[in-house]
Amino acid sequence: MHADGRPPLPDRVVRALRCSVCAAGLDLLERTLRCPSGHTFDLARQGYVNLLHAKIPAGTADTTDMVAARVEFLGAGHYAPLTELVAERAAALTGDHGLTVDAGAGTGHYLAHVLDATGTDGLALDVSAAALRRAARAHPRIGAAVWNLWEPWPVASGVAGLVLNVFAPRNGPEFHRVLAPGGALLVVSPGPGHLAELAGLVDLLEVDGDKQRRLDATLGEGFARTGHAEREFTMTLTPADVRRAIGMGPNAHHLHRGERLARLDEVREPIEVTAAFRVSEYRAVEPGR
Ligand SMILES: C[S@@+](CC[C@H](N)C(=O)[O-])C[C@H]1O[C@@H](n2cnc3c(N)ncnc32)[C@H](O)[C@@H]1O
Ligand SMILES: [Zn+2]
């Protein structure tokens, strides 16, 4: 129990989770999830549960530094127009007060806003324990589980009314399997020109906007696109914000190379940076229909 009497994981999340060894249902006893065959998974002190039994490749999960940069950057409200749009669309797409699964939830920033807008419970899946420490505390109705999205998920079929996927790996067949029939999928990906000024500044990997056709194709046959929106706005970023924007993304791993850090130090004034996003909506359909 939490100090306020809440269970440490929402009931609906416990009922949705499956044992990652034998796929049976799980019960929560005190702070341990247990299946009928006796496989157990302890909740971490910070409230998330690790269901992984295999090592994941180095460099896959967000590190503590990346997580700290993201918490500060998102907390400063630079992506607020996107956060509001995601919450608004989630509310429009979610019919009942069921379960929202956030695939690659990170710190739980978007999921927390979606839960407020929809009244649903939330399951945050991510391979980064550092990120899920934050996600587990981001909202009282979030349950957070460490998992590799490329493996079959330890989640029952048909339990989710909404799957959320924000700048994270997309496993179309698993999105489809965990969604209830007619359930909705909301995918956020970078649009053309996203953070372009930063890519030029420190010569980082070009941020290539996801092409809509490519995005639709990666999801497979089980989804019909029902809507999409593009949002572009200009952010005024301080030198510290610029470092965070770079430090929270995949380029963080390559920053120490060459002159990049030195060139970042030359940014001494706030600069204008483009944010560009694509928000795509889908319904789960029977493949072949
Ligand atoms: C760019 S972050 C986005 C996080 C969050 N959705 C947000 O927008 O704030 C990508 C997230 O995907 C996670 N991730 C990357 N590969 C993964 C995998 N194979 N399985 C689960 N999570 C993964 C990372 O740990 C990271 O939290
Ligand atoms: Zn088991």
Side-chain angles (χ1 to χ4, degrees):
M1 288 280 168
H2 282 288
D4 62 5
R6 271 185 296 121
L9 285 179
D11 277 348
R12 202 190 300 270
V13 169
V14 175
R15 279 183 268 125
L17 288 175
R18 290 292 176 264
C19 174
S20 57
V21 181
C22 73
L26 293 163
D27 279 323
L28 180 64
L29 302 164
E30 301 287 328
R31 295 181 63 82
T32 300
L33 288 169
R34 179 187 297 272
C35 81
S37 302
H39 303 123
T40 59
F41 308 90
D42 292 339
L43 265 70
R45 189 168 45 81
Q46 298 91 346
Y48 67 90
V49 61
N50 189 347
L51 297 174
L52 269 182
H53 36 77
K55 284 243 179 265
I56 52 121
T60 307
D62 274 15
T63 62
T64 313
D65 286 349
M66 290 166 76
V67 169
R70 183 167 302 116
V71 165
E72 284 171 17
F73 190 87
L74 294 175
H78 296 301
Y79 284 177
L82 174 66
T83 308
E84 281 159 25
L85 177 64
V86 167
E88 181 192 304
R89 294 312 305 153
L93 290 168
T94 313
D96 60 3
H97 291 229
L99 181 72
T100 298
V101 175
D102 190 348
T107 59
H109 171 84
Y110 297 96
L111 182 57
H113 283 85
V114 164
L115 298 193
D116 278 339
T118 59
T120 56
D121 293 313
L123 169 59
L125 295 176
D126 201 289
V127 79
S128 165
L132 290 189
R133 275 179 209 132
R134 301 292 189 140
R137 293 168 174 190
H139 194 284
R141 293 198 307 276
I142 289 183
V146 179
W147 190 250
N148 176 1
L149 295 171
W150 295 124
E151 300 288 326
W153 299 358
V155 178
S157 300
V159 289
L162 175 69
V163 169
L164 195 64
N165 178 246
V166 185
F167 310 119
R170 294 187 282 266
N171 183 338
E174 284 299 88
F175 289 170
H176 193 268
R177 187 184 63 75
V178 303
L179 276 172
L185 167 66
L186 198 57
V187 178
V188 179
S189 52
H194 182 56
L195 303 183
E197 296 83 354
L198 301 187
L201 179 74
V202 278
D203 177 31
L204 297 171
L205 306 173
E206 197 62 37
V207 189
D208 175 26
D210 257 314
K211 302 270 185 307
Q212 184 75 54
R213 220 166 354 107
R214 191 169 65 208
L215 171 54
D216 293 354
T218 57
L219 294 173
E221 283 199 325
F223 289 97
R225 179 146 56 84
T226 52
H228 99 276
E230 293 189 12
R231 279 288 184 287
E232 186 173 320
F233 52 93
T234 304
M235 306 175 288
T236 303
L237 300 185
T238 65
D241 291 330
V242 167
R243 281 180 166 271
R244 290 178 192 125
I246 293 169
M248 71 188 211
N251 287 303
H253 298 295
H254 314 291
L255 258 190
H256 55 279
R257 294 196 196 142
E259 306 287 297
R260 287 170 177 167
L261 279 176
R263 265 186 274 161
L264 263 185
D265 283 340
E266 284 164 23
V267 182
R268 298 211 174 90
E269 301 286 329
I271 57 172
E272 308 265 279
V273 177
T274 306
F277 305 105
R278 176 172 281 134
V279 179
S280 304
E281 304 175 9
Y282 302 84
R283 287 270 169 211
V285 295
E286 290 298 318
R289 297 258 305 264

